[in-house]
Amino acid sequence: MSPRDPNPPTRAPRRTKDDVVDAALRLLDGVGLPDLSMRRLADELGVQPSALYWHVASKQELLAAVSGRILAPVVLRPGDPADLAGAAVTLGHRLHDRLLAHRDGAEVVSSSLALGLAPSPVHDALGDSAAARVIADAVTHYVVGFTFHEQQRRSADAWGAAAPAVSLTATSVEGTDDDGFAAALGLIAAGIARSADGVAVARGA
């Protein structure tokens, strides 16, 4: 009988889909979307690239799962405004914060939304009435587009390649210099409130 190897090779731990998404989100924050490859993700997890396909069928499906993780906190909570205008502003700020929380977050989410691989949390929160769908479209497209440009400018600044900053919109009406994000979102809310359907209760009531 052969002696037992005192240092047997250790088997890589079994990975779950949550492990894969967690690692992808860490890599996204660390190296950015252009360098987030399936091979690099496999190296991060200590597995062969083929093992990832037990959990996701493609890189786009992986990015959709990452988008879902980024967007999960964008919900209406107890105590939030119940009218569509107020709820839309609350969700818009929440979405903006979540996209900014992750490097290239807006680009990742934009791609998943465009391909129908991730639902818009604004649509889910506001409900399925005709007015709510239009409002959710406006808020989602505005926030994702604004944040995408914002993150592109930040990346260019980091590389010293950006031109002098030019605000996309006017300065916030509250006097805070946020490139006009809050001011424009407020204008969207004002339009909602003036419309006949704008008084409808959020969550589709």
Side-chain angles (χ1 to χ4, degrees):
M1 189 166 91
S2 61
R4 179 174 295 177
D5 186 347
N7 297 300
T10 57
R11 178 179 295 178
R14 187 184 296 268
R15 300 296 185 177
T16 66
K17 184 173 181 177
D18 281 342
D19 293 331
V20 172
V21 176
D22 288 342
L25 200 51
R26 287 196 304 272
L27 273 179
L28 179 68
D29 289 338
V31 302
L33 181 58
D35 292 320
L36 173 55
S37 66
M38 298 298 273
R39 181 170 296 279
R40 193 162 193 167
L41 177 58
D43 289 343
E44 175 79 6
L45 289 166
V47 300
Q48 293 297 316
S50 59
L52 298 177
Y53 294 98
W54 285 99
H55 304 290
V56 291
S58 63
K59 183 178 179 180
Q60 198 61 58
E61 186 175 308
L62 170 69
L63 295 180
V66 170
S67 296
R69 185 70 61 80
I70 293 172
L71 296 173
V74 184
V75 295
L76 289 173
R77 303 164 189 163
D80 284 342
D83 63 288
L84 280 173
V89 169
T90 297
L91 291 166
H93 281 290
R94 226 159 256 167
L95 176 57
H96 185 234
D97 290 343
R98 288 300 299 164
L99 297 178
L100 285 180
H102 296 283
R103 184 173 176 179
D104 298 329
E107 186 174 357
V108 172
V109 168
S110 177
S111 174
S112 297
L113 291 176
L115 295 175
L117 297 176
S120 164
V122 181
H123 286 78
D124 290 345
L126 293 185
D128 199 39
S129 71
R133 288 195 301 271
V134 171
I135 292 163
D137 279 341
V139 171
T140 300
H141 292 317
Y142 165 65
V143 175
V144 173
F146 185 101
T147 314
F148 177 78
H149 289 174
E150 194 173 6
Q151 290 183 315
Q152 289 291 303
R153 289 200 309 273
R154 289 183 181 186
S155 295
D157 285 341
W159 288 99
V166 177
S167 293
L168 298 182
T169 56
T171 303
S172 170
V173 291
E174 289 79 17
T176 57
D177 184 10
D178 63 354
D179 279 342
F181 174 80
L185 197 56
L187 288 174
I188 293 173
I192 297 167
R194 289 193 185 97
S195 71
D197 296 321
V199 297
V201 175
R203 304 169 187 83

